[in-house]
Amino acid sequence: MFVDEAKIFAKAGSGGAGCKSFRREKHVPKGGPDGGDGGAGGNVVLLADAQAATLIDYHYKRHFKAERGTHGQGSRMNGATGEDVVLPVPLGTIVRDAETGHVIADLTHPGQRAIVARGGRGGRGNIHFCTPTRRAPAFAELGEPSEERWVTMELKLLADAALVGFPSVGKSSLIAHMSAARPKIADYPFTTLVPNLGVVRSGGNSFTVADVPGLIEGASEGAGLGHAFLRHIERTALIMHVVDLTGGHDQRDPIEAIAAIDAELVAHAAELATRPQVLVGNKLDMEGAAEASAAVAAYAAEREIPYFAVSAVTGAGMEPLILAVGQMVHDLRAARPIDAEPVQEVFTYDHPEDADLRIEQTAPHEFSVHGRSYERWVIQTEIGNEEAVAFLQRRLARAGVENALVAAGARDGDSVTIGPVTFEFEAGLADE
Ligand SMILES: Nc1nc2c(ncn2[C@@H]2O[C@H](COP(=O)(O)OP(=O)(O)OP(=O)(O)O)[C@@H](O)[C@H]2O)c(=O)[nH]1
Ligand SMILES: [Mg+2]
């Protein structure tokens, strides 16, 4: 089975705590602060890798955890940064937040990275909190907790060519003839339920071909099985449009069948109207197929579409088809040079809406403060440490949180929740 979806749990490393420490020297009873910073936690990163072909590895191992940063120490020693976990994924992988469906990244070029879970920042050591009036800060920042989330990965096949057509026209029979792929072949519609990928050798070249489930009228609106697979076709350079020259069980006129499939492709994505195609008339070995083939040949010639009449069963006509498709793929690749140079692009996952300060009144005399940095300040504060809490309160007041609370109607004694902590509101802290 060709695997093109995976879901993983990514947990970054938390940041190490800053250190609260004072210099100790002979003859110096109490030296200045010398607590170092905590190290940052490692990230979980997806890396677009031209060597990776499938997402199958992520079906077996699904939990990934990056290293935490270590704590700062005395003598100004900073903690070590946690190691990132780097997961290679194939080009063409779309990465989403599993919960919200938000697209974090579309990894198409080698070297692109998506940070799917960001490591926590390290807390600052007490040397940073020294001021002329606070010579001996008896507090340091805690490390920032790490991010964690479920992430889905979806690989749109990057096959060179896709076999497209109604069910039972012989798409799987064709890929079986052209490549080492061995899909199920049977005389009923929707035999193929998941895409098959095959590698075809053609002259000195090779190309990849995808056999996808059959399309039917209305596929672009979700009818049948084809809909989910139309997206695979979007990224192939060439469409091998297969038509059953016998008309199949439904005795569908081949020309009408071709037009119906083309209409579904365009309804799915308008750009598919101009995607290079070859028409493949299949089942040439059957009675009446030769006449039908002549009609299709005329139709194709009028539209300047290359046409090949073949039999996937006897192999008749297959060699010229394979050579022609190989050549077309070769030319298309040359015309669309994919920059193989690795790119240094990093996608991060920010919630811009979370960054701003937002005050919410949750009940009479109860307020809640939202905003990523404010919540982080609280989380990184050692709440049992009076000096640390006083520092936090001044910091929040100076950042305008106090004024915003007053404007929202908060009065002394009201409850204010920021992140995991609830405080009693007290105005005027900024002036201290
Ligand atoms: N006589 C003849 N029969 C063929 C030829 N190609 C395919 N068939 C038959 O047509 C039927 C359908 O073939 P498949 O290859 O499964 O067709 P498909 O297009 O993959 O069908 P779905 O997966 O259902 O969309 C099978 O019974 C095949 O044996 C051919 O060239 N000649
Ligand atoms: Mg099939």
Side-chain angles (χ1 to χ4, degrees):
M1 188 180 113
F2 179 71
V3 176
D4 65 352
E5 274 172 341
K7 187 175 175 184
I8 60 162
F9 183 72
K11 184 171 175 29
S14 48
C19 176
K20 172 181 61 188
S21 149
F22 297 94
R23 231 169 23 234
R24 281 160 195 267
E25 281 166 41
K26 268 189 200 156
H27 316 300
V28 183
K30 187 157 190 187
D34 73 349
D37 301 343
N43 304 304
V44 179
V45 182
L46 304 188
L47 169 67
D49 181 349
Q51 307 305 317
T54 70
L55 295 169
I56 196 156
D57 291 347
Y58 303 114
H59 278 226
Y60 301 107
K61 179 164 166 47
R62 313 208 313 162
H63 286 72
F64 298 92
K65 194 166 177 271
E67 240 176 36
R68 53 171 307 146
T70 63
H71 300 321
Q73 290 174 31
S75 312
R76 296 173 175 256
M77 286 206 340
N78 293 337
T81 302
E83 209 48 65
D84 286 354
V85 167
V86 179
L87 305 172
V89 298
L91 307 185
T93 300
I94 297 177
V95 186
R96 290 191 176 84
D97 179 322
E99 200 183 314
T100 64
H102 176 91
V103 174
I104 300 171
D106 187 350
L107 300 171
T108 51
H109 293 281
Q112 283 178 327
R113 289 162 182 265
I115 298 177
V116 295
R118 201 188 329 230
R121 300 186 205 191
R124 288 175 295 170
N126 66 340
I127 45 176
H128 294 278
F129 303 106
C130 214
T131 63
T133 53
R134 193 199 303 116
R135 296 294 179 93
F139 66 98
E141 271 175 345
L142 302 174
E144 185 186 9
S146 62
E147 283 185 344
E148 56 178 58
R149 65 171 54 86
W150 282 93
V151 174
T152 58
M153 298 184 276
E154 175 190 86
L155 175 63
K156 291 192 179 191
L157 296 186
L158 287 177
D160 295 307
L163 290 157
V164 175
F166 278 100
S168 296
V169 296
K171 300 179 296 299
S172 299
S173 305
L174 287 165
I175 201 176
H177 194 282
M178 292 193 289
S179 74
R182 289 294 167 262
K184 187 170 170 189
I185 291 165
D187 189 19
Y188 56 83
F190 301 119
T191 306
T192 301
L193 299 175
V194 293
N196 302 295
L197 257 196
V199 179
V200 183
R201 285 182 213 299
S202 163
N205 301 320
S206 64
F207 62 92
T208 52
V209 60
D211 164 32
V212 298
L215 297 178
I216 57 172
E217 280 104 346
S220 57
E221 259 108 55
L225 287 171
H227 180 62
F229 302 102
L230 275 166
R231 59 187 166 83
H232 293 315
I233 299 165
E234 269 175 57
R235 290 196 180 187
T236 57
L238 178 77
I239 291 171
M240 296 177 74
H241 186 156
V242 186
V243 63
D244 186 338
L245 294 172
T246 72
H249 289 307
D250 301 342
Q251 283 305 296
R252 203 189 311 262
D253 174 63
I255 307 272
E256 279 168 26
I258 294 165
I261 293 294
D262 279 336
E264 290 307 325
L265 293 176
V266 174
H268 173 72
E271 82 216 48
L272 290 177
T274 53
R275 189 64 45 91
Q277 273 202 14
V278 290
L279 266 175
V280 182
N282 188 33
K283 310 194 185 179
L284 188 61
D285 56 289
M286 298 285 281
E287 212 184 295
E291 293 93 271
S293 181
V296 175
Y299 174 91
E302 223 170 89
R303 287 161 183 77
E304 298 186 341
I305 306 169
Y307 171 66
F308 297 86
V310 302
S311 168
V313 167
T314 67
M318 288 301 290
E319 222 176 281
L321 170 67
I322 290 171
L323 280 173
V325 171
Q327 189 59 49
M328 285 177 79
V329 166
H330 182 268
D331 295 347
L332 286 165
R333 280 186 194 149
R336 187 195 55 174
I338 298 171
D339 34 330
E341 281 294 299
V343 293
Q344 300 289 334
E345 190 179 3
V346 179
F347 296 89
T348 53
Y349 186 31
D350 286 316
H351 311 257
E353 66 281 9
D354 294 353
D356 297 337
L357 174 62
R358 192 164 56 78
I359 311 273
E360 184 191 357
Q361 179 153 20
T362 47
H365 306 292
E366 282 178 35
F367 296 84
S368 146
V369 174
H370 305 277
R372 195 166 345 107
S373 37
Y374 313 106
E375 290 172 43
R376 196 180 65 231
W377 292 349
V378 172
I379 288 168
Q380 291 191 247
T381 299
E382 198 188 329
I383 293 300
N385 182 324
E386 257 176 57
E387 209 178 319
V389 172
F391 173 79
L392 169 71
Q393 284 176 328
R394 275 192 301 275
R395 194 178 189 187
L396 288 168
R398 276 201 215 99
V401 176
E402 183 183 302
N403 287 342
L405 278 163
V406 170
R411 298 291 171 263
D412 282 6
D414 289 356
S415 309
V416 173
T417 303
I418 310 178
V421 183
T422 300
F423 302 92
E424 190 176 306
F425 186 61
E426 195 184 329
L429 291 165
D431 317 323
E432 270 179 34

